[in-house]
Amino acid sequence: MSAQAPSAVILIRAERFIPNPATAADNAFQRDVPAGQSDDATQSLALAEMDAVAQALRDAGVRVHVFADEDHTRPDSVFPNNWLSTHAGGNVAVYPMYASNRRHERRADVLEMLKSQYRVQTIVDYSGLEPDGIFLEGTGAMVLDHVSRVAYTAVSHRADTHVLERFCTDFGYEPMAFDAVDSEGVPVYHTNVIACIGTDVAMIALEMIPDAVRREQVRERLTVNGRRVVELTEEQIREFAGNAVELCGRTPEGKRRYIMAMSARARRSLRPDQVAVIEESCEIVDIDIPTIELAGGSVRCMIAGVHLDRRRAVELEPTAAVEAIDEDPHTLDGQDVAMAEALAD
């Protein structure tokens, strides 16, 4: 199985979704709700879109964990990839968030589910950096190449290079930070709106990296293992073509299949030659989510991938060697000896 494409994901069914006014200042992709549309109507449309994403992924054979969220103070909770990432070897990261009204999106029940159903060794929590004004919004701020161990990061208020380096040291990635701006010179707020890395294909708007030397370094690093690069235009980025994610599903017969999940809007923006390159290695699964995209994120932002090994559903019978170690009645351990001595006194 590819290290890049998780076979399970976490989605948040945010019942009180609205575009977050606290994030509008630096998110050039965010849009206002259509005039005259009530919050109730917006939330109803968004819920239908969230359910459609979950169903499309299930239909593709991806394992989907959905968590309900009824909290009206968490308008962006549909985007869990900003506060959580998981990594092979049982490692989990929790991130510091830029907008104060997003910080309580972090949920203990999500972490408890991961610990109960998957093999979690370590949880590294960087959220304590928030009072210092240092932020790194997860796999929104970073696009991770899990194969070559590179963290591609467009520097912004939401992606501080100091915490990026701490993350890379802790999790074994090479930091590759760069500036990325649109045609008006506005910095890109999250790397995952301009770049998507799959196992054998990457989609990225290299033209939005103004430094020509750094642009070529990024291109070379992406292709060093034979991966093909689909170059996206800024116009396609505005249609969320870069906000996609490769996942590993199953056919009805149980055969492994790789998919590239994106929005229908993103899919429509791709040229036939770009689609052909993507489909050489994975099948495009697109879902129409125009209401959620008003918040400035698309399908990739909605998905927190689970790169962890599952726990066994049924515990195996202990082997003779294990039974010999765990004798019954067992020999005295240190606590038993201490208690026996205390009673003797």
Side-chain angles (χ1 to χ4, degrees):
M1 186 175 298
S2 167
Q4 191 66 23
S7 59
V9 299
I10 294 168
L11 302 179
I12 306 297
R13 193 173 189 270
E15 297 183 15
R16 299 294 182 178
F17 169 89
I18 57 169
N20 187 355
T23 60
D26 70 335
N27 184 343
F29 296 81
Q30 195 165 321
R31 296 290 180 266
D32 293 331
V33 171
Q37 183 169 295
S38 68
D39 286 351
D40 285 345
T42 300
Q43 291 156 9
S44 178
L45 290 168
L47 279 175
E49 293 171 14
M50 295 173 206
D51 292 341
V53 170
Q55 191 57 52
L57 297 184
R58 289 191 186 103
D59 289 346
V62 176
R63 192 180 318 115
V64 180
H65 301 280
V66 178
F67 288 80
D69 184 18
E70 301 176 355
D71 192 334
H72 72 282
T73 68
R74 298 195 286 221
D76 269 345
S77 64
V78 69
F79 302 136
N81 79 309
N82 298 149
W83 71 264
L84 171 74
S85 71
T86 66
H87 304 265
N91 300 310
V92 176
V94 176
Y95 296 99
M97 307 281 279
Y98 178 65
S100 59
N101 73 345
R102 295 204 62 192
R103 295 171 188 171
H104 61 302
E105 291 176 19
R106 296 186 288 258
R107 294 174 55 160
D109 59 342
V110 173
L111 297 175
E112 289 302 318
M113 181 280 292
L114 290 174
K115 289 192 291 183
S116 66
Q117 297 193 30
Y118 297 87
R119 297 191 180 278
V120 174
Q121 299 287 341
T122 307
I123 298 177
V124 182
D125 186 355
Y126 300 102
S127 63
L129 296 170
E130 287 166 349
D132 299 318
I134 300 174
F135 312 107
L136 184 69
E137 293 192 335
T139 54
M142 304 177 290
V143 173
L144 300 177
D145 181 343
H146 297 279
V147 178
S148 298
R149 310 297 293 178
V150 181
Y152 295 89
T153 307
V155 178
S156 72
H157 297 304
R158 308 188 191 200
D160 184 275
T161 55
H162 295 91
V163 64
L164 169 66
E165 290 178 4
R166 283 183 57 176
F167 165 83
C168 288
T169 298
D170 292 340
F171 284 81
Y173 287 82
E174 169 196 343
M176 179 159 269
F178 50 85
D179 292 320
V181 298
D182 65 18
S183 55
E184 297 179 359
V186 177
V188 171
Y189 85 105
H190 270 166
T191 314
N192 76 356
V193 296
I194 66 165
C196 162
I197 298 175
T199 305
D200 297 316
V201 66
M203 300 183 290
I204 184 171
L206 289 169
E207 68 176 32
M208 298 179 75
I209 302 175
D211 185 317
V213 173
R214 195 57 166 161
R215 184 189 314 140
E216 291 310 307
Q217 289 172 341
V218 170
R219 185 201 308 274
E220 181 181 358
R221 196 71 182 87
L222 282 169
T223 57
V224 71
N225 64 350
R227 184 184 287 118
R228 296 188 66 181
V229 171
V230 173
E231 291 201 41
L232 302 174
T233 66
E234 182 178 335
E235 291 73 23
Q236 290 175 318
I237 293 303
R238 294 194 178 279
E239 299 299 309
F240 293 104
N243 199 239
V245 60
E246 185 187 71
L247 303 171
C248 181
R250 295 279 176 178
T251 67
E253 296 75 31
K255 184 180 178 181
R256 188 176 301 145
R257 67 193 288 203
Y258 290 98
I259 68 168
M260 187 69 75
M262 65 178 65
S263 74
R265 173 181 174 183
R267 171 65 178 79
R268 288 192 296 269
S269 76
L270 296 174
R271 302 189 309 268
D273 61 301
Q274 294 172 320
V275 171
V277 173
I278 296 166
E279 291 187 334
E280 285 180 10
S281 59
C282 49
E283 171 190 350
I284 295 176
V285 173
D286 60 276
I287 312 99
D288 203 21
I289 56 166
T291 308
I292 292 170
E293 287 176 332
L294 294 173
S298 190
V299 168
R300 172 65 187 98
C301 295
M302 297 174 66
I303 292 172
V306 181
H307 294 265
L308 302 168
D309 293 331
R310 294 183 76 184
R311 291 189 179 277
R312 292 184 183 274
V314 179
E315 291 297 325
L316 297 177
E317 289 294 323
T319 64
V322 171
E323 289 179 333
I325 294 170
D326 186 22
E327 296 178 8
D328 187 16
H330 63 270
T331 55
L332 294 179
D333 59 22
Q335 186 176 5
D336 295 325
V337 171
M339 184 173 293
E341 289 175 350
L343 290 174
D345 293 340

